[in-house]
Amino acid sequence: MIDIKLDDPISSIKGVGLKTQQAINKLGVFTCQDLLFYLPRKYDDFSNITDINKIIPGNVTLKAKITNLTTRRSRSGLSITEGIAVDQTGSVRLIWFNQIYRQASINPNETYYISGSYKLTKTKFSIINPSIETIKEVTISNARIVPIYRESKNVSSGQLRKIIIDIIPLVKNLKETLPQSIIDGMGLLKINQAVQNIHYPKSFVDIEKAQERFQFEELFPILLANELSKEALASQNSLKVAFNLDLARQFVEKLPFTLTNDQRRVIWQIYIDMQKNKPMNRLVEGDVGSGKTVVAVMSAVMAQSSGFKVAFMAPTELLAQQHAKTIYNLLKPLGLEKSLILLTGSQKSKVKNNAIKLANKINNSFVVGTHSLLTSGVDWHNLALIIIDEQHRFGVDQRMILQRKAGHLPHFLSITATPIPRSLALTIFNDLNLSRLETMPKNRKEIISQFVYPSNFNIFLNDLKAELNKGRQIYIVCPYIHQKNKMDKQAAEYVYQYYSSQLFKEYQVGLLHGQLTADLQQKIMSKFVSNKIQILVATTIIEVGVDVANASVMVINGPERFGLAQLHQLRGRVGRGEYSSYCYLIVNDSRNILPRLRQFILINDGFKLSELDLRTRGPGEIYGKLQHGKNISFQLTLDNQQLINKTLQGVKLFFNNKENMLKYPELDQRVKEAQRITNLN
Ligand code: ADP
Ligand code: MG
């Protein structure tokens, strides 16, 4: 019936005109193949045909004639078309609203499938807005399990259904992506059968089997990638870091506070890892202010005391500079401060060359910088430990570079305030060792979060003034830099103008964003640190790490543009000192606040928020699109332990069969993609 190909644009399908094409493109669907992978969101069961005398309220399908059609207008101007469906057993009323064409298009001598919801309206039972189709083998919206698709403005689920049914025969041309041994061994559907079933299931078992295949397909490359990474890691050597009890004691004694039990436990885990000659691969998660830096530095000094180098990589230069200061203070009591070297891209070449020389001269130097420090010309042959701050992604490629430079793989320690939800950690990141700092150091003040809308804006301003009067400082975060139009009040430049020249003339207001030179950013930041600036208007450049204990207020413009994890990061910029602190979310309308923002106000725990982010936005949203270009609308069901176990079995089978990845280019590509996304080391 059709001579179109999978790669053809959807406009080559009969009946898809320009308007429909554009509407479908909006769904991310361009080719026929895309459309086949546009999976239903749910199903309505209209598969059982009922005798009219047996119908009960709910979804029903009848096989009946339609008589006594009449159309009238209601007082409100609605057109109401009514008819009677009749089969051998009885009759029932049908009603359509605003579907005048029914009146002329229904043939009273024809038998139809009639599907819809049978229910009570006012005083009578009727079937409301039923869809009808003449009796034939392949029906679209009647007498079957009917798939419901996500719609866009100009294309309905019903239209999509019609168009997709037309191209279902193309499934026979779909290329299989999984090895046959896995399909057979795990009892999975072939890809063409799965696609066929998902759009035209004969039973709910069909749907389940198809979904299983799609979910397996999503998870398999990820778990395979983990297994390959684990193998690769286990075959590498790293430098053994000896445990030096005296040093650990000294470090702890010189701290101005006592470590929390969590900090002790995690440091100990790291020491155990680093004593082995296999590379550590550990992620330390802890909410803002949970004291991750001390953990990192205490790990570093152990490596230094064994005579090895340490590299500390921050996501931005600003943070690298800040960290260098903190680290300096922690090293000084041990007399190790001279080993600390800051290396950043914006340093003048002379300064930089000196830093590199020094880093090479000192055998056990502690080098702080951004990612570029790995390629900076420092001799890394005795690099024992890499600490990665707030950067989940450290790819295979970077690892290879290091491996070449160092001749071995260093121990990896990632630290982050954006925790990976547990369920994700167990699957996607299961080659990683996790440490959590769950308890906060004592005396942390809870941050009070609230909404600001036009009607309480003045109260909000007074609150800010009160804080400024007490000598505190304020962050104001904006989602972007430049104003989009004259009405736009969220842009950093606008907010800066408004606050500095109108609202808070008597205070110093600063503007910080990524388009300023690194030098200027640093100057503005140090002015804020030394309280020469009281109000800092900034983009999310201040999201992580920035540490000013005197700041007690965080104001966030356009909060709906940020994820929960990010908002929580921003909130964590305050409440770092001894002062009560506040976080204000500026919203336009008090009645229309997103549910997740309401949750944010109520929940102060980053681990809980990350689970919530996972549930509301899905793993794909959080950790990049794990999908492979095709529009698979199922998200990984990470709480599906059965599926995870089955997929793990599949991975084992793959290894047992000594399958060669090169035979499966598409799988290979997806494994690489998964590694790119999930590799922290
Ligand atoms: P984060 O986990 O957000 O990186 P930091 O390491 O910056 O947190 O620590 C936040 C602040 O808490 C720092 O000023 C640090 O010196 C302090 N701190 C760390 N551990 C403790 C502790 N056990 N008791 C009291 N204060 C601590
Ligand atoms: Mg930190």
Side-chain angles (χ1 to χ4, degrees):
M1 68 128 234
I2 38 173
D3 62 342
I4 39 180
K5 290 187 281 303
L6 288 166
D7 295 341
D8 286 344
I10 48 173
S11 55
S12 18
I13 305 169
K14 209 173 105 241
V16 177
L18 186 61
K19 205 170 143 205
T20 313
Q21 183 204 335
Q22 285 169 343
I24 297 178
N25 288 166
K26 284 228 169 75
L27 298 166
V29 172
F30 297 89
T31 64
C32 293
Q33 170 146 332
D34 293 344
L35 195 54
L36 286 177
F37 282 94
Y38 191 70
L39 307 187
R41 163 172 85 72
K42 58 169 193 165
Y43 297 86
D44 277 342
D45 187 3
F46 287 108
S47 57
N48 291 322
I49 294 156
T50 316
D51 285 339
I52 290 180
N53 67 352
K54 298 217 179 72
I55 63 177
I56 49 169
N59 285 347
V60 294
T61 298
L62 313 174
K63 193 173 174 183
K65 290 192 166 136
I66 301 171
T67 63
N68 296 60
L69 277 171
T70 60
T71 294
R72 62 188 163 83
R73 280 211 172 266
S74 76
R75 253 176 287 152
S76 58
L78 216 61
S79 83
I80 300 173
T81 304
E82 288 194 21
I84 307 287
V86 185
D87 69 6
Q88 300 94 323
T89 68
S91 64
V92 61
R93 197 164 69 129
L94 312 176
I95 303 184
W96 291 274
F97 296 104
N98 277 345
Q99 298 184 23
I100 293 185
Y101 67 95
R102 299 281 184 192
Q103 175 80 42
S105 64
I106 290 171
N107 174 356
N109 297 318
E110 175 100 42
T111 303
Y112 295 97
Y113 286 127
I114 303 164
S115 295
S117 171
Y118 177 64
K119 60 182 170 193
L120 187 65
T121 49
K122 295 213 174 113
T123 54
K124 285 186 245 173
F125 275 97
S126 343
I127 303 178
I128 313 294
N129 288 332
S131 68
I132 63 172
E133 262 174 89
T134 51
I135 309 296
K136 52 186 177 297
E137 205 182 326
V138 176
T139 51
I140 299 168
S141 302
N142 294 68
R144 60 175 288 214
I145 298 173
V146 177
I148 312 292
Y149 298 91
R150 195 163 48 83
E151 306 182 332
S152 83
K153 207 167 165 205
N154 287 315
V155 65
S156 69
S157 175
Q159 277 171 291
L160 285 165
R161 208 175 296 138
K162 243 182 249 165
I163 299 166
I164 290 172
I165 281 182
D166 269 352
I167 61 162
I168 282 187
L170 285 180
V171 296
K172 64 177 191 306
N173 301 335
L174 284 172
K175 244 181 44 212
E176 184 51 67
T177 50
L178 288 176
Q180 191 60 41
S181 61
I182 301 294
I183 294 174
D184 293 343
M186 304 318 303
L188 297 169
L189 292 184
K190 286 175 179 297
I191 191 64
N192 29 31
Q193 192 62 51
V195 174
Q196 160 97 32
N197 283 10
I198 208 86
H199 295 296
Y200 214 96
K202 296 202 173 58
S203 68
F204 278 90
V205 175
D206 274 3
I207 298 173
E208 239 170 71
K209 285 297 285 178
Q211 287 177 338
E212 181 192 41
R213 155 80 207 215
F214 287 118
Q215 293 178 342
F216 186 94
E217 183 144 11
E218 268 190 311
L219 202 50
F220 185 65
I222 296 170
L223 298 188
L224 192 54
N226 277 340
E227 219 37 55
L228 291 166
S229 299
K230 262 193 216 168
E231 264 193 357
L233 218 56
S235 70
Q236 298 288 341
N237 289 322
S238 33
L239 300 175
K240 280 188 183 184
V241 172
F243 176 60
N244 177 341
L245 180 65
D246 282 343
L247 178 71
R249 281 219 174 106
Q250 251 192 70
F251 190 98
V252 172
E253 273 165 21
K254 305 246 158 92
L255 283 174
F257 45 76
T258 39
L259 292 173
T260 64
N261 286 338
D262 275 12
Q263 284 171 318
R264 280 171 206 281
R265 177 176 47 79
V266 172
I267 290 165
W268 190 241
Q269 287 171 334
I270 294 168
Y271 284 169
I272 289 176
D273 286 353
M274 291 198 305
Q275 283 173 54
K276 299 179 183 145
N277 69 344
K278 293 292 160 201
M280 170 172 74
N281 189 27
R282 186 168 288 280
L283 176 68
V284 175
E285 304 177 322
D287 226 331
V288 205
S290 60
K292 296 182 292 293
T293 318
V294 180
V295 171
V297 175
M298 217 171 144
S299 314
V301 294
M302 208 47 84
Q304 289 187 289
S305 102
S306 286
F308 302 132
K309 283 193 171 61
V310 176
F312 187 117
M313 305 193 300
T316 65
E317 289 204 7
L318 199 63
L319 286 172
Q321 279 152 352
Q322 283 221 354
H323 272 306
K325 278 186 204 146
T326 315
I327 294 167
Y328 183 92
N329 291 333
L330 287 166
L331 294 182
K332 189 142 194 255
L334 303 171
L336 277 171
E337 78 276 11
K338 289 212 174 65
S339 66
L340 180 69
I341 288 151
L342 177 66
L343 198 56
T344 69
S346 69
Q347 279 167 339
K348 301 227 165 61
S349 58
K350 203 170 155 199
V351 178
K352 194 189 289 177
N353 286 336
N354 277 340
I356 293 171
K357 255 190 225 144
L358 200 57
N360 286 337
K361 203 173 120 201
I362 304 170
N363 234 348
N364 63 346
S365 51
F366 188 149
V367 189
V368 178
T370 59
H371 272 217
S372 66
L373 66 79
L374 291 180
T375 47
S376 62
V378 174
D379 172 7
W380 291 120
H381 80 273
N382 67 337
L383 175 66
L385 171 66
I386 292 194
I387 301 167
I388 306 150
D389 187 35
E390 289 304 345
Q391 188 83 32
H392 276 164
R393 285 169 210 172
F394 192 69
V396 182
D397 302 347
Q398 283 147 305
R399 205 194 323 174
M400 296 317 287
I401 293 175
L402 259 178
Q403 154 93 54
R404 262 199 313 273
K405 285 182 184 293
H408 61 267
L409 213 54
H411 298 291
F412 283 89
L413 179 64
S414 291
I415 56 181
T416 179
T418 316
I420 301 171
R422 237 186 238 293
S423 45
L424 262 190
L426 285 174
T427 50
I428 297 193
F429 296 95
N430 89 341
D431 58 333
L432 185 77
N433 293 308
L434 280 189
S435 301
R436 283 189 160 191
L437 297 174
E438 309 216 24
T439 47
M440 287 288 199
K442 287 198 194 81
N443 312 326
R444 282 285 137 80
K445 287 255 162 58
E446 184 145 321
I447 301 160
I448 297 162
S449 306
Q450 55 199 83
F451 292 113
V452 178
Y453 20 84
S455 65
N456 69 356
F457 195 78
N458 285 329
I459 302 176
F460 155 73
L461 284 184
N462 286 335
D463 288 350
L464 296 195
K465 280 187 189 136
E467 284 301 298
L468 290 166
N469 281 338
K470 283 189 229 160
R472 298 291 83 73
Q473 290 164 279
I474 296 174
Y475 293 99
I476 302 181
V477 168
C478 302
Y480 42 84
I481 304 170
H482 308 293
Q483 233 181 340
K484 295 187 170 153
N485 55 54
K486 286 238 159 62
M487 301 296 292
D488 181 356
K489 295 183 172 172
Q490 295 184 343
E493 286 178 341
Y494 169 85
V495 171
Y496 169 71
Q497 279 301 326
Y498 184 50
Y499 279 71
S500 61
S501 62
Q502 291 191 39
L503 298 178
F504 291 101
K505 277 192 231 165
E506 60 280 36
Y507 292 97
Q508 289 303 312
V509 183
L511 176 63
L512 183 69
H513 57 70
Q515 285 180 10
L516 305 174
T517 61
D519 204 31
L520 194 50
Q521 288 181 32
Q522 180 51 32
K523 278 197 184 117
I524 294 167
M525 202 56 225
S526 37
K527 275 191 184 170
F528 190 63
V529 172
S530 59
N531 200 357
K532 293 199 180 80
I533 288 175
Q534 288 78 48
I535 301 175
L536 185 64
V537 178
T539 55
T540 51
I541 191 168
I542 58 152
E543 184 181 331
V544 286
V546 173
D547 193 358
V548 178
N550 190 47
S552 65
V553 179
M554 167 60 65
V555 180
I556 303 173
N557 286 283
E560 61 287 337
R561 290 168 169 271
F562 303 114
L564 287 177
Q566 204 177 9
L567 288 171
H568 188 63
Q569 281 284 337
L570 290 169
R571 175 164 62 185
R573 295 308 104 219
V574 297
R576 303 174 79 80
E578 63 211 270
Y579 311 111
S580 295
S581 297
Y582 307 89
C583 176
Y584 295 98
L585 304 189
I586 306 218
V587 292
N588 289 328
D589 185 343
S590 57
R591 286 158 309 177
N592 219 352
I593 295 169
L594 296 176
R596 70 186 168 83
L597 292 185
R598 292 188 188 283
Q599 299 278 14
F600 174 76
I601 295 281
L602 296 174
I603 299 173
N604 233 328
D605 173 334
F607 290 115
K608 280 197 189 129
L609 286 172
S610 81
E611 298 289 342
L612 209 70
D613 236 2
L614 176 66
R615 250 178 289 140
T616 52
R617 305 208 301 164
E621 264 291 311
I622 301 182
Y623 290 97
K625 280 230 171 313
L626 291 172
Q627 292 145 358
H628 35 105
K630 287 175 190 160
N631 202 322
I632 290 191
S633 52
F634 288 108
Q635 286 173 340
L636 289 172
T637 39
L638 293 165
D639 44 1
N640 187 343
Q641 196 56 48
Q642 220 177 334
L643 175 77
I644 292 169
N645 288 342
K646 184 161 184 163
T647 314
L648 280 172
Q649 273 173 33
V651 170
K652 209 182 275 169
L653 190 63
F654 188 86
F655 279 105
N656 287 348
N657 286 350
K658 304 212 164 30
E659 288 279 7
N660 183 351
M661 194 68 98
L662 296 177
K663 267 168 57 192
Y664 310 102
E666 176 146 351
L667 181 63
D668 185 43
Q669 198 194 329
R670 281 156 54 192
V671 165
K672 293 219 170 80
E673 174 74 358
Q675 281 177 325
R676 195 180 64 69
I677 290 171
T678 63
N679 254 309
L680 304 168
N681 48 3

